[in-house]
Amino acid sequence: MTATLAPSQQILTPQLEIAGGRPLSGELRVSGAKNSALVLMAASLLTEDQLRLRNVPPLTDIEGMAEILISLGVSAKRDGEALEMNGSGLSQSAPPYELVNSLRASFFCIGPLLARLGIARVPLPGGCQIGTRPVVEHVKGLKALGAQVTIEHGVVSAVVPGRGHRLKGGRIHLDCPSVGATETLMMAAALAEGETVIENAALEPEVIDLAGLLLAMGAKVRGAGTPTITIVGVDRLHGADYAVIPDRIEAGTFLLAAAITRSCLTVAPVITDHLGAVLTKLEEVGCHLDIQGTNVTISAQEIQAVDLRTQPFPGFPTDLQAPFMSLLATAQGTSVITENIFENRLQHVGELQRMGAAIRTQGNTAFIEGVSRLSGAPVQGSDLRASAAMVLAGLAAEGITTVQGLEYLDRGYADFEGKLNAVGASIRRLS
Ligand code: UD1
């Protein structure tokens, strides 16, 4: 039986109210990738020319990054889906703590600031709900490029000594293939003197997207998407007009919305190579996928249990672990999920249990015994992807689910409820 929404009451905390049990149908459009757009925006610091990024999603994280760039002297202007930035006025090397504090991606500024000004002072991004998230590899790499780096009072101060304050190419071996460290070092190396080699680099599509932008700006980069990236520094980079790749995590979340509601939906645009491990798991649980170019049509009926482990790309992405767990909570049989990337990323388990899911955890592993139905309940998203997982569970649950933690959801999903309502969901934002 499908539920209906009650009249509005006075709401203190913004929340989504979801009437569960409705099948979805139609087409969902995927926005530009948040994680790519954030790092490409930081690349505007590398040039005095205009950088125009297209397909930039309207998200609070993007607005936060724009504010940080503006605080450094960059102009940033929205033009529909495009964002125009001009770094000719770059005058500051230290973004203010108040702006940086709430946005981890702000640390992306350190590489380009050092490359262009020879100095940068960026507050440590700190830990977050899902884990400690160190920047050891970023700092190690910047030192290998000749920067002197100190960390005091929560601020990373980096300076390039000597005449000209120019970084020097070097060989860097990352101890772990950190996405953020790879991207930070690519931007720093783009304007360094000589050749930089990054070994054990991250293979994520967002790294390849950054290489694409840097090439469009006149950089010399090869090997992005392989474990060894080589960058030959140039004297200056010029402006570019560049489109951000579609968001693979948003696309995966939408495919899971279809699967958990046992519906048929078309999701587009999807670069299927970016979602290989996820598409394979969706087929393993019993979904049927029809792929036509960048359109993926998914139909789901019975869902079977599967085991999965999160891994760096091309493995199963940690950012879709929580949403996939919501699906497996409704599967036939017992699934096992192992979270290998972040140490504290099973916090959604408790909330799913409130909705009737049968899940037990041991360390970083969750054992999920599928139940025939979830029941709507008030729940809280503890981070961006956990919030999305709660919304998915709410779509499938019997009755009304209210999801708090929208400050997280709005960081990574553009008009999440609007898009889902357009394909048949019943979600209301109460604020
Ligand atoms: C990026 C994504 C995030 C995603 C994550 C993993 C952005 C803005 N965010 O985060 O959505 O969940 O990749 O795919 O692109 N590590 C170290 N030392 C370091 C750096 C990282 O041990 O110096 C470890 C981390 O603790 C973590 C793992 O490496 O266990 C992955 O982290 P990393 O790839 O750096 O993630 P981010 O770039 O922060």
Side-chain angles (χ1 to χ4, degrees), residues 313-359:
F313 191 84
F316 190 95
T318 176
D319 288 348
L320 284 174
Q321 179 261 108
F324 215 99
M325 190 182 294
S326 293
L327 172 66
L328 294 180
T330 69
Q332 286 177 2
T334 303
S335 307
V336 182
I337 292 184
T338 308
E339 170 58 51
N340 287 316
I341 306 295
F342 292 113
E343 66 270 23
N344 199 18
R345 211 173 198 182
L346 291 179
Q347 290 176 72
H348 42 283
V349 167
E351 299 303 292
L352 285 173
Q353 283 168 338
R354 288 169 57 77
M355 299 180 72
I359 308 174

Side-chain angles (χ1 to χ4, degrees), residues 35 104 133-137 176 178-180 318-319 341-342:
N35 285 351
R104 273 194 58 80
R133 312 195 72 175
V135 290
V136 180
E137 298 300 316
C176 65
S178 159
V179 180
T318 176
D319 288 348
I341 306 295
F342 292 113

